[in-house]
Amino acid sequence: MKKLLVGATVLATLTLGACAHNQHNDNYASLVEEAKAKQAISKENGNVWKQKAMKKPYVEHYLEEAEKARLESVRLAKEAVRSADAQIAQTKEAQDLTPGWYQSK
C-alpha cells in the first residue's frame, strides 16, 4: 500500500509539473512573439527606445535577459529532477534495511 501511495504521488507530481511547465513555455513563447512583433512595428515607425549607454534597444535587451533566465531556470529544473530522482532511489535502497541492533523474532 505504501509503495502504491508513493508511486501515485510521484506520478501525480510529475504530471502536474509537466502541465504547468508546458503552460509556462506557451505563455513565454507568446510573450516573446508579441514583443518581437511590436518591436518590428516600432522600428517601422522609427521610434525605438534606447539609451546611449545601451548597446541594444530596451526590448531586445529585455528579451536577451529573459532568454538567459529561461535557460538558467531549465538548468535548475533539471537539477531539481536529478535531486528528486536521487531521493526516490535512496528511499528504494533503504526500504528493506534494518538497523544492526534490531533482532527479528
Side-chain angles (χ1 to χ4, degrees), residues 39-57:
Q39 179 70 353
I41 293 170
S42 294
K43 283 183 180 180
E44 288 176 9
N45 294 335
N47 185 24
V48 176
W49 291 357
K50 179 180 175 184
Q51 291 182 355
K52 290 182 181 181
M54 294 177 73
K55 295 179 181 178
K56 297 180 180 181

Side-chain angles (χ1 to χ4, degrees), residues 2-3 88-100 102 104:
K2 185 176 180 182
K3 289 181 185 180
I88 292 169
Q90 184 182 37
T91 301
K92 287 179 181 177
E93 288 175 10
Q95 190 171 15
D96 297 327
L97 295 177
T98 56
Y102 180 77
S104 61

Side-chain angles (χ1 to χ4, degrees), residues 5-67:
L5 182 61
V6 170
T9 303
V10 169
L11 182 61
T13 302
L14 293 176
T15 303
L16 292 174
C19 292
H21 181 60
N22 288 339
Q23 183 181 11
H24 174 70
N25 280 345
D26 293 343
N27 190 28
Y28 173 80
S30 66
L31 287 172
V32 168
E33 290 304 315
E34 181 181 355
K36 287 181 179 180
K38 290 181 178 181
Q39 179 70 353
I41 293 170
S42 294
K43 283 183 180 180
E44 288 176 9
N45 294 335
N47 185 24
V48 176
W49 291 357
K50 179 180 175 184
Q51 291 182 355
K52 290 182 181 181
M54 294 177 73
K55 295 179 181 178
K56 297 180 180 181
Y58 281 107
V59 173
E60 293 172 17
H61 172 75
Y62 292 138
L63 287 174
E64 184 178 291
E65 292 297 314
E67 182 63 21

